[in-house]
Amino acid sequence: MTTSRTAPPTVTPGRRRRWRYVAGVLVLAVLLVVGGRLAWSWLDPFGEQPIDRSQPVLLQSIKDLSRFEAATGNFQVVVDLEKDANFLPDAVKGTRTLFVGAGSVDAYVDFSALAAGAVTVNADRTEVTVRLPRAQLEKPNLDNRRSYVFAQQRGLLDRVSDFLSSSPGDQRELYVLAEKKIAEAATSSDLRSRADANTKAMLEGLLKSLGFAKVTVKFADEP
C-alpha cells in the first residue's frame, strides 16, 4: 500500500516581491516617524525662547551709609492663608494656600545718629568713652529662590477666575504677609541685642588698636 505525500507550498516570485515591498514600506514608515520626532524635538516649533528686551539699569541716587551692619537673622515662616465665602461651600468659592517664606533681617547701628559729645577722650588720650544708639532692624529681605507655594486649594469659581485673569496666582499678598510675620519674629528675637554686643566688641577692639588703654562703650539709654 502506497501513501501519497503532499508537496509543500511554494512561494511564487510575485508573492515574495510583495512581502519585500510591504517590509520596505514598514521600515520606511518607522524611519519617517523616528526622523520626524527627532526633527520636531530639535526644531521645537511651539517652544518658548526667552528674549530679554529690558532697558538699561538707571542709577537714580547714591546714598552714603554711616552705619555698622552688626548682625543678620535668617528666618522661615509657613503662611497659611484661607479665604472663605460667606454663603458658598469651599468647593465652589474659597481658597487656602500654604506658602513658605524664607528671608533675612539685618540689624545695624546708625553712627550718623550719634549725639553731640557722644565720644569723649581724656587729656592724655589714654581713655575714651563712646555712647551709641541702640541697634535697629532693616525691613525683611525675602529670598525668592527659597520662597514658594507649598500647597493650594481653590474652589471652582476661583479656578475660573484665575483662568480668565491677566495675572493668575498673584502671590503679592502672601509675600507681604510673610514679610510682616518675619518682621514680628525678628523684633521679638534677640537680634538687636546681638547687634548691640557685636558693635560694642567691634569698637572696643578698634579703639584699643588705636592706642587707647581704657575703652568704655555705652548706649544712649544707659546711665
Side-chain angles (χ1 to χ4, degrees):
M1 181 176 181
T2 60
T3 58
S4 60
R5 295 183 179 180
T6 304
T10 59
V11 179
T12 63
R15 182 177 297 178
R16 187 179 295 112
R17 284 195 297 269
R18 285 196 298 271
W19 278 110
R20 289 178 180 176
Y21 176 76
V22 172
V25 170
L26 292 176
V27 171
L28 180 60
V30 171
L31 292 177
L32 288 175
V33 171
V34 174
R37 294 194 61 177
L38 291 176
W40 184 276
S41 61
W42 180 63
L43 295 175
D44 196 11
F46 297 110
E48 295 182 352
Q49 181 179 0
I51 300 176
D52 188 359
R53 292 192 175 95
S54 304
Q55 299 296 318
V57 178
L58 177 64
L59 177 62
Q60 294 183 329
S61 64
I62 295 178
K63 183 179 180 181
D64 293 333
L65 299 179
S66 301
R67 64 188 190 182
F68 175 62
E69 301 288 344
T72 299
N74 294 309
F75 298 88
Q76 179 172 297
V77 61
V78 177
V79 176
D80 188 349
L81 181 61
E82 184 174 359
K83 294 182 179 180
D84 295 329
N86 292 330
F87 304 105
L88 293 175
D90 293 342
V92 177
K93 177 65 177 177
T95 61
R96 183 180 180 183
T97 306
L98 297 178
F99 177 77
V100 177
S104 60
V105 178
D106 294 331
Y108 66 94
V109 174
D110 188 2
F111 291 148
S112 66
L114 290 176
V119 180
T120 57
V121 182
N122 66 344
D124 56 0
R125 301 187 63 83
T126 58
E127 298 181 8
V128 60
T129 300
V130 182
R131 287 190 172 272
L132 298 174
R134 289 287 184 179
Q136 304 177 51
L137 297 179
E138 274 281 13
K139 292 179 59 178
N141 181 24
L142 255 64
D143 188 347
N144 294 329
R145 294 174 298 179
R146 297 189 295 125
S147 301
Y148 57 94
V149 174
F150 176 73
Q152 188 175 46
Q153 298 175 354
R154 295 177 297 169
L156 179 60
L157 295 180
D158 297 282
R159 293 177 182 272
V160 174
S161 177
D162 287 345
F163 178 76
L164 299 176
S165 175
S166 59
S167 57
D170 193 356
Q171 300 178 1
R172 285 177 294 181
E173 185 178 5
L174 297 171
Y175 275 86
V176 171
L177 189 56
E179 287 182 356
K180 179 182 177 182
K181 291 184 176 296
I182 289 178
E184 292 173 351
T187 301
S188 60
S189 70
D190 64 342
L191 186 57
R192 284 182 294 183
S193 60
R194 178 73 65 87
D196 287 339
N198 292 343
T199 305
K200 186 175 181 179
M202 183 273 296
L203 285 178
E204 288 176 347
L206 175 63
L207 294 173
K208 287 182 179 179
S209 68
L210 295 177
F212 291 98
K214 182 179 179 181
V215 177
T216 303
V217 178
K218 294 184 177 182
F219 292 95
D221 57 354
E222 292 180 337

